[in-house]
């Protein structure tokens, strides 16, 4: 079948989400084993799914100041501030995708309802990049929320160390009762 672009992930059910993210994590683990430790560019418009396999588009090659709004919205703080590219930056990006999937399609600090304006996006980015506390995603149970919030830890050393560690945590999570 044709590849399906993930655009509005909020319509997916819990099992599909966990299976899809497990497939994405497996694809990332495979890609990172082939290319090195960091991929970058992990965001919904750069992910395709074909059957039970997930594929990532190109890596993030820009320097600070050249990022698109979509890239900024799924970027780790250390990459935003200092250009530091580590496996934990990929974990953070996947954490943001997970967050939006379990928060009705909305990223941290976005308005709960209504339009998401450019000003609302900029304010949310500023709050994330300034280490404001992120509230748990609305429809995740406590276990899954803990996994997601650890992926979104502002400090690198508090995050899952790499995509494999996050994948293992998700694999042990009973997300069927969530969303």
């Amino acid at each position: 079948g044709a590849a399906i672009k993930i655009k509005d992930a909020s319509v997916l059910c819990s099992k599909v989400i966990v299976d899809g993210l497990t497939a994405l994590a497996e694809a990332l683990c495979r890609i990172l084993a082939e290319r090195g430790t960091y991929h970058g560019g992990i965001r919904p418009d750069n992910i395709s799914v074909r059957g039970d396999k997930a594929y990532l588009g190109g890596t993030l090659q820009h320097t600070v100041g050249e990022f698109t709004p979509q890239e900024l919205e799924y970027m780790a703080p250390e990459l935003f501030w200092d250009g530091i590219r580590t496996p934990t930056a990929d974990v953070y990006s996947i954490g943001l995708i997970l967050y939006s999937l379990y928060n009705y399609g909305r990223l941290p600090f976005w308005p709960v309802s209504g339009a998401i304006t450019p000003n609302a996006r900029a304010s949310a980015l500023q709050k994330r990049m300034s280490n404001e506390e992120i509230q748990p995603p609305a429809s995740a149970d406590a276990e899954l929320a803990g996994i997601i919030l650890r992926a979104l830890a502002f400090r690198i050393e508090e995050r899952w160390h790499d995509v494999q560690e996050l994948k293992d945590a998700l694999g042990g999570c009973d997300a069927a009762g969530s969303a």
Side-chain angles (χ1 to χ4, degrees), residues 9-162:
S10 62
V11 301
L12 299 174
C13 73
S14 198
K15 172 119 176 68
V16 172
I17 291 169
V18 171
D19 288 351
L21 284 163
T22 299
L24 174 59
E26 286 170 0
L28 263 175
C29 289
R30 184 182 69 247
I31 290 166
L32 296 176
E34 294 166 3
R35 293 188 196 167
T37 60
Y38 167 80
H39 186 280
I42 300 171
R43 58 188 191 277
D45 70 335
N46 203 27
I47 300 169
S48 296
V49 177
R50 189 182 309 260
D52 62 351
K53 293 201 185 282
Y55 301 91
L56 274 170
T59 61
L60 201 58
Q61 299 294 331
H62 309 309
T63 58
V64 175
E66 297 178 338
F67 298 111
T68 68
Q70 182 81 0
E71 289 168 335
L72 288 170
E73 285 184 339
Y74 289 89
M75 184 176 290
E78 67 275 11
L79 183 56
F80 178 83
W81 289 114
D82 302 315
I84 297 172
R85 299 167 190 241
T86 67
T88 58
D90 287 336
V91 166
Y92 191 92
S93 297
I94 292 172
L96 286 169
I97 293 171
L98 271 168
Y99 189 97
S100 70
L101 292 171
Y102 284 92
N103 199 51
Y104 308 110
R106 293 179 181 252
L107 289 171
F109 307 112
W110 279 11
V112 174
S113 62
I116 302 158
T117 64
N119 282 345
R121 288 174 188 270
S123 174
L125 179 65
Q126 187 273 329
K127 288 176 181 179
R128 267 195 317 106
M129 296 304 150
S130 299
N131 195 18
E132 284 201 28
E133 183 179 353
I134 297 174
Q135 296 303 307
S139 66
D141 65 21
E143 181 185 14
L144 183 57
I147 291 169
I148 293 168
L149 291 176
R150 182 171 171 188
L152 295 177
F154 186 83
R155 296 169 47 94
I156 293 171
E157 57 273 12
E158 294 174 3
R159 242 180 260 155
W160 302 105
H161 295 105
D162 56 31

